[in-house]
Amino acid sequence: MGNASRTAGLRWLVPVGIAGGFVAHALHLSFLCDDAFISFRYAWNWVEHGEIVFNLGERVEGYTNFLWVALMAGGLAAGIDPTVWSRLLGIAFGVLGILVLVRFIVRREGGGFAAANVAALLLVLSPAYAAWATGGLETQLFTLLVTLGWTRYLEETSGETPRRALSGILFGLATLTRPEGLIFMAATLLHRTAVAWFDERRVRPTRWEWGWFGGFLLPVIPHEIWRWTYYGWPLPNTYYVKVGAEGLWRSGAHYLRVWATDHSVWLLPIAFAFIPGWIRGGPRRGRSLLVLYAVLLIAHVVRVGGDFMELHRYFVPILPGLALLSALGLRGIAVRLSRSDPRAWGTAVLFLAYLSALGIRAVQVERRVDVPYSKRGIDSIRQLDIIAHVWSQVGRWLAENKPPDTSIAVNAAGAIPYYSRLTTLDVLGLNDAYIAHEVIPDGDRAGHIRSAPDEYIVERDIDLLIFHPQLDMNRPPPAGDPYWSRRGYVWKTVQIPGDRPFWFGYWEKARRNPRRGARERSARSGAVRSRGRRFVVYGPAVSARDSGCGRGPTSNQPSGDQTKPTSEVVIR
């Protein structure tokens, strides 16, 4: 018994070593995106002021990752910088995801450590899985909870583990991390219903199934009641601001096409996992569930237009399941080859060739995304990292040089508001209920289909109009649009100090009389909305993104070639 345990322990050294390779890969691609700072701001206000809000006094749910915000708040309460804490957690969750998958394959799918190690290698060599362990977002936490959910579900329904409702709770926690958790729960429920009807010939749910569904509702229902009570809406504000536009499926189809191309070698063996008689061990039910997850998630992502950030974070949660299918397909090929090649030379050569092709493809993808660019509405991870870095410097400059009751309007509602601590109008509406519910959608870039009308900005009486900052190594030219100057704004430029100083321009309200504090104005506008008043729905023709406010290209450009020179994001 002791020797068997020792042997099993030694076998785990290989997966642990592979997980170490994942850590190195994630650190190599490490970056931060501006969107992460939205969660950091909610967490900071939670810790410092006891309000889970973007602006104090304005209850708007501009995030979709409650559990992640809670974890960030815990780090801030402990004095840990969220830019560090978020990446440490993301990498740790990525490692746990690999080990959970290995354990499941060894125990459940009958593939042994060979197939499990191949699946782990596939994840390690995926630039998407590695990169989105950083970025500052909840991607790997969500992926881990989903992976724990479906592996536990398959174990519970096989009778190999005590029939507790743990998998339902895990899917509930995943839903509190990202709304797409509902898709995975719905797919699992559909799968369970099909098994009951067609395999077990019954309609009535079992006691375990009631408990399983109740386990899912256990965290979801209390959170939904709290959300509706606290924010006043049944869904996050981000949902309302991102839906309603037509033609988003074109951007979504492009997003899917790039993902499939990047993972073409990675996904190739999946078909062999479904050839009858090729795979021993592990029921086909589990494989059909993983395919169902992929189909439903892909359909959802295409429908909403994909994402504006490179490396397909929305598809990362299905990568562990697809890695399992690819590993089982490769194992089936190896078994077939071994029958005609007892010495397994052909198998070894084929495996090495496949591994080489996988590595070459990963290098090609990383060379593409590790340089700053924006094309067809998608920003590379290096572009995202540079933007977050320079906008963090802008936010710090504002905190040091502007009064604390100053209000700002920005398109980039992450690092600038987080570091400045100033009351902020999010022009794209993620954190503004009026823009999300009242402004007509216009555009086909995912997440950027609404924008604050200029009249709304004027009515909010904003002090500084930053919008999408125009950053350059040289002083920006005077703004040519008279719209804001006629409304009492003065164009200003400033050089942000640092190792590589850069300039940016903004409009500042010229005030003759003592003005009300930004908090007072914010509270007033919030009170107006809470009393049910509706602003006139201004058309998109005069929105801030189109008024030429002396800034660079906004994030609302239509699809097409939008490659930006790196000078627009400053650092060379």
Side-chain angles (χ1 to χ4, degrees):
M1 187 63 125
N3 290 333
S5 299
R6 192 179 300 112
T7 301
L10 290 174
R11 288 180 176 177
W12 274 97
L13 290 177
V14 175
V16 169
I18 293 173
F22 161 76
V23 173
H25 195 186
L27 291 174
H28 170 68
L29 293 175
S30 179
F31 74 105
L32 275 175
C33 66
D34 189 66
D35 277 24
F37 290 89
I38 298 176
S39 299
F40 300 166
R41 178 162 165 120
Y42 277 91
W44 188 84
N45 279 330
W46 190 356
V47 172
E48 294 296 322
H49 303 286
E51 298 182 33
I52 314 177
V53 295
F54 189 75
N55 291 319
L56 297 180
E58 295 184 22
R59 291 192 175 185
V60 180
E61 189 181 8
Y63 61 92
T64 56
N65 51 359
F66 176 78
L67 280 189
W68 188 247
V69 170
L71 286 174
M72 294 302 99
L76 283 165
I80 306 174
D81 185 343
T83 64
V84 176
W85 179 233
S86 61
R87 286 184 277 191
L88 287 176
L89 286 180
I91 292 173
F93 292 144
V95 169
L96 288 175
I98 291 172
L99 297 180
V100 166
L101 183 63
V102 168
R103 175 185 174 274
F104 175 77
I105 295 174
V106 170
R107 293 185 56 181
R108 170 72 178 162
E109 285 295 326
F113 274 97
N117 292 335
V118 170
L121 272 174
L122 287 169
L123 288 179
V124 171
L125 291 174
S126 167
Y129 191 84
W132 286 108
T134 65
L137 292 175
E138 71 289 341
T139 307
Q140 282 295 355
L141 171 60
F142 181 63
T143 301
L144 174 62
L145 289 171
V146 166
T147 304
L148 283 168
W150 63 257
T151 55
R152 179 70 185 187
Y153 164 78
L154 291 175
E155 290 174 351
E156 289 172 349
T157 53
S158 70
E160 296 178 2
T161 61
R163 289 175 67 84
R164 302 189 183 100
L166 180 59
S167 61
I169 296 174
L170 289 166
F171 283 122
L173 293 175
T175 302
L176 265 62
T177 306
R178 279 209 60 84
E180 288 85 357
L182 287 170
I183 294 176
F184 287 90
M185 181 60 186
T188 310
L189 182 60
L190 180 62
H191 179 267
R192 189 63 198 157
T193 302
V195 169
W197 287 0
F198 298 110
D199 290 359
E200 301 174 4
R201 304 294 180 182
R202 61 178 174 84
V203 176
R204 175 177 291 185
T206 64
R207 183 176 179 180
W208 176 86
E209 288 167 342
W210 283 118
W212 172 72
F213 190 69
F216 168 74
L217 296 178
L218 187 63
V220 172
I221 292 299
H223 176 259
E224 181 60 29
I225 294 173
W226 170 82
R227 164 190 281 155
W228 210 328
T229 303
Y230 193 82
Y231 294 111
W233 294 94
L235 297 172
N237 194 68
T238 51
Y239 167 79
Y240 300 105
V241 83
K242 292 181 179 181
V243 299
E246 299 179 357
L248 289 178
W249 67 269
R250 296 183 183 88
S251 299
H254 172 70
Y255 187 79
L256 172 62
R257 184 167 58 252
V258 175
W259 173 76
T261 302
D262 288 351
H263 290 78
S264 54
V265 179
W266 205 88
L267 298 171
L268 188 61
I270 289 178
F272 296 97
F274 292 89
I275 298 178
W278 274 50
I279 307 298
R280 297 178 182 177
R284 298 176 66 87
R285 288 181 188 173
R287 294 165 214 161
S288 63
L289 175 63
L290 298 178
V291 171
L292 183 60
Y293 286 154
V295 169
L296 292 183
L297 185 66
I298 288 171
H300 165 72
V301 172
V302 170
R303 183 183 67 86
V304 300
D307 190 23
F308 69 94
M309 292 187 273
E310 182 67 277
L311 284 182
H312 321 102
R313 64 182 172 119
Y314 288 155
F315 291 144
V316 170
I318 59 175
L319 290 184
L322 296 179
L324 185 155
L325 296 176
S326 288
L328 293 179
L330 288 170
R331 182 175 179 272
I333 295 172
V335 169
R336 280 292 183 274
L337 288 176
S338 65
R339 293 178 181 176
S340 58
D341 183 16
R343 294 186 179 182
W345 289 109
T347 303
V349 170
L350 179 64
F351 178 76
L352 290 175
Y354 177 76
L355 199 61
S356 299
L358 200 64
I360 291 171
R361 188 59 187 144
V363 170
Q364 290 173 338
V365 172
E366 289 186 22
R367 285 181 176 176
R368 184 189 79 227
V369 303
D370 207 28
V371 296
Y373 72 85
S374 181
K375 189 173 184 179
R376 294 197 63 173
I378 297 178
D379 295 341
S380 71
I381 61 170
R382 204 52 54 206
Q383 173 95 346
L384 294 168
D385 194 46
I386 293 173
I387 286 174
H389 174 70
V390 296
W391 288 350
S392 297
Q393 293 176 263
V394 172
R396 291 190 180 99
W397 181 86
L398 290 170
E400 294 171 359
N401 293 276
K402 297 298 178 181
D405 62 347
T406 300
S407 60
I408 61 176
V410 297
N411 288 30
I416 294 175
Y418 175 74
Y419 284 111
S420 71
R421 311 296 193 213
L422 301 178
T423 298
T424 302
L425 171 61
D426 177 0
V427 174
L428 297 181
L430 290 177
N431 302 284
D432 190 284
Y434 164 71
I435 298 171
H437 292 274
E438 304 295 342
V439 173
I440 299 170
D442 177 44
D444 61 358
R445 191 185 189 199
H448 299 71
I449 61 174
R450 285 178 171 84
S451 184
D454 294 339
E455 292 90 338
Y456 177 60
I457 298 172
V458 171
E459 185 156 354
R460 286 292 299 267
D461 197 23
I462 302 298
D463 295 313
L464 306 180
L465 307 181
I466 300 173
F467 300 122
H468 190 103
Q470 179 180 355
L471 311 175
D472 209 330
M473 304 303 288
N474 302 310
R475 183 191 293 270
D481 181 13
Y483 180 88
W484 296 111
S485 60
R486 290 199 301 265
R487 283 154 182 81
Y489 286 90
V490 178
W491 177 251
K492 293 188 175 182
T493 57
V494 63
Q495 187 176 42
I496 305 297
D499 294 338
R500 296 182 178 180
F502 60 90
W503 291 83
F504 89 102
Y506 62 93
W507 291 97
E508 182 168 0
K509 185 78 169 182
R511 300 190 182 276
R512 298 179 180 177
N513 301 317
R515 59 183 175 80
R516 299 178 302 276
R519 178 91 65 86
E520 180 184 339
R521 288 196 307 276
S522 176
R524 178 177 64 84
S525 63
V528 167
R529 285 194 294 274
S530 68
R531 290 197 301 268
R533 170 186 171 186
R534 291 177 179 268
F535 291 92
V536 176
V537 180
Y538 310 110
V542 292
S543 62
R545 62 176 172 223
D546 298 321
S547 61
C549 305
R551 60 195 186 282
T554 72
S555 54
N556 292 69
Q557 295 166 330
S559 295
D561 193 342
Q562 302 171 34
T563 304
K564 302 177 185 177
T566 57
S567 61
E568 290 190 6
V569 291
V570 174
I571 304 301
R572 293 176 172 80

